[in-house]
Amino acid sequence: MTRNEELFLRAQKTIPGGVNSPVRAFRSVGGAPRFFTRGEGARVWDADGKAYIDYVGSWGPLILGHADADTVRAVQQTAAKGLSFGAPTEGEIELAELLVQRVPSMDMVRLVSSGTEATMSAIRLARGFTGRDAIVKFEGCYHGHGDSLLVKAGSGLLTFGNPSSAGVPADLAQHTLVLDYNDAQGLRDAFAKHGKTIACVIVEPVAGNMNLIVPKPEFLAAMRELCTQHGAVLIFDEVMTGFRVGPASAQGLYGITPDLSTFGKVVGGGMPLGAFGGRRDIMEKIAPLGPVYQAGTLSGNPLSVAAGLVTLKKIAAPGFYEALAAKTKALVDGLAGAARQRGVKFSAQSVGGMFGMYFAATPPTSCAEVMASDKDAFNRYFHAMLDAGFYFAPSAFEAGFVSAAHSDADIAATVAAADAIFAAG
Ligand SMILES: *Cc1c(COP(=O)(O)O)cnc(C)c1O
């Protein structure tokens, strides 16, 4: 038995499924998850001492790579002065100022401790602001594990959803309308029918939790127009795309101005931090200014804020995103080129520093198309790459991430390994 396997057996005795977040358990690809002991730059080491080039990056936060020296130093120096006060600190103002400066749609922002908290709070705020209950989400988009958001589509386009998790009251789920991603007409129909009751539309402006799906420009544009027309709040969930796809996030990339935005992952630089912000008139509805309650003992935690500040400053370096996007594109072009040469049905694409790989002839544009890709082929590829020392997300339905620490040689080695695997069939 490997050390990883031993640890996994031991973990399962006290932790449900052996993991503290389900997709880590390798359920969809099979085998024992790797327990990591160390990370540095683009690399991680598991409990058996095996090294991997990492394309998960803690599921997105680690845009500077593992154990970035400046980030680690800032956290250590901050920790030495106290871990938490439950009282305001100057760093929080600095981070809020940086966020509203980088993301022009935000006049005000509040810090929380996770992406889930940010989206839950943004939804409550949208409901409180509009006095309406219904929310619109898109099938396959993940917005954290808040009750109203754990809902998948029923059969028809305009069906109100059923919960996709036990423990979510049907009474609550019935307020969530689930539509197809990239379907502007479906959205128009939903507003025509339910426009007066819709508090908000929440969307991943580049979908990254059903593998990666690029938004059609008319889809995002229709969303903006319909929300304005019907007095609904448009929420861009940029927990994954925030500062990952460009310096002003996906809203900057596509030129759409949401009313509220949510952040997590990159903004915390690897520490637990989330944020939600937007229009002043909406944000002023939050306690203590307004009637919408939201709070957190560890919100704006000094260590998380310190890591976020360093990260946001470093990614503002000239050329940072050009280099990151070029490297990510080199990876997907290399993989797709190798697959084409070897006659493997595979495609890949990237947006900034995130990418998708599909065992399908062309990149999917909807959840249904993602579901139709060859999952068994992905699982074989995943394990072959893992054995070869390349760590990708253990699911065919997740996006991948490249960091500034990945070198051209890392990318070339990854493409060469994939080529060998494609050649072997
Ligand atoms: C990761 C993610 C979340 C949830 O964030 P957590 O920090 O895991 O709670 C919400 N929305 C999107 C788009 C995400 O990718």
Side-chain angles (χ1 to χ4, degrees), residues 59 113-117 119 142-145 204 208-209 237-241 262 264-265 273:
W59 300 91
S113 300
S114 72
T116 292
E117 256 188 279
T119 53
Y142 176 67
H143 303 292
H145 60 88
E204 288 183 70
N209 286 285
D237 179 357
E238 301 236 36
V239 171
M240 183 183 289
T241 52
T262 58
K265 300 192 170 115
L273 186 103

Side-chain angles (χ1 to χ4, degrees), residues 101-412:
Q101 179 194 324
R102 300 272 176 90
V103 182
S105 70
M106 296 204 295
D107 301 321
M108 302 183 98
V109 62
R110 180 159 275 178
L111 302 181
V112 293
S113 300
S114 72
T116 292
E117 256 188 279
T119 53
M120 277 172 29
S121 307
I123 297 272
R124 181 179 304 147
L125 177 57
R127 284 173 161 159
F129 177 75
T130 57
R132 302 171 179 177
D133 288 340
I135 68 174
V136 172
K137 77 176 284 287
F138 300 94
E139 187 176 11
C141 283
Y142 176 67
H143 303 292
H145 60 88
D147 280 347
S148 293
L149 296 161
L150 282 181
V151 179
K152 65 182 170 195
S155 42
L157 267 187
L158 294 180
T159 30
F160 275 95
N162 300 307
S164 57
S165 162
V168 175
D171 288 352
L172 190 57
Q174 65 163 357
H175 297 296
T176 304
L177 187 56
V178 184
L179 306 178
D180 281 336
Y181 198 81
N182 269 332
D183 180 7
Q185 190 55 46
L187 193 61
R188 269 185 215 106
D189 294 346
F191 267 102
K193 203 165 165 190
H194 305 291
K196 286 193 179 62
T197 62
I198 295 173
C200 63
V201 175
I202 185 166
V203 67
E204 288 183 70
V206 176
N209 286 285
M210 46 173 160
N211 207 319
L212 181 147
I213 294 187
V214 173
K216 292 181 180 161
E218 70 265 26
F219 175 60
L220 295 180
M223 202 176 290
R224 175 64 280 176
E225 199 184 302
L226 288 162
C227 284
T228 303
Q229 202 179 322
H230 292 268
V233 174
L234 176 57
I235 306 174
F236 268 19
D237 179 357
E238 301 236 36
V239 171
M240 183 183 289
T241 52
F243 305 99
R244 167 56 67 183
V245 299
S249 306
Q251 52 195 273
L253 196 62
Y254 297 107
I256 302 279
T257 305
D259 302 306
L260 291 178
S261 305
T262 58
F263 293 89
K265 300 192 170 115
V266 169
V267 291
M271 296 289 288
L273 186 103
F276 66 101
R279 270 167 46 189
R280 184 175 301 276
D281 59 328
I282 304 179
M283 291 302 288
E284 284 180 345
K285 296 286 185 240
I286 300 173
L289 293 182
V292 179
Y293 196 69
Q294 188 279 328
T297 301
L298 294 174
S299 290
N301 174 262
L303 274 58
S304 299
V305 166
L309 278 172
V310 172
T311 303
L312 285 179
K313 286 175 186 165
K314 287 187 79 167
I315 61 183
F320 180 90
Y321 283 98
E322 288 79 359
L324 184 67
K327 243 181 320 203
T328 312
K329 186 158 184 344
L331 174 70
V332 296
D333 287 351
L335 293 174
R340 202 177 316 115
Q341 290 251 310
R342 305 293 181 183
V344 175
K345 199 165 93 176
F346 174 96
S347 52
Q349 63 183 347
S350 61
V351 181
M354 62 191 274
F355 64 90
M357 304 182 290
Y358 326 90
F359 282 84
T362 52
T365 62
S366 69
C367 189
E369 284 177 32
V370 175
M371 293 302 161
S373 68
D374 187 344
K375 199 162 154 282
D376 294 336
F378 172 82
N379 289 354
R380 287 192 300 274
Y381 167 80
F382 168 82
H383 277 292
M385 288 299 279
L386 192 67
D387 289 347
F390 300 90
Y391 188 76
F392 288 97
S395 161
F397 307 124
E398 301 287 349
F401 304 98
V402 171
S403 78
H406 286 75
S407 67
D408 294 342
D410 292 334
I411 304 287

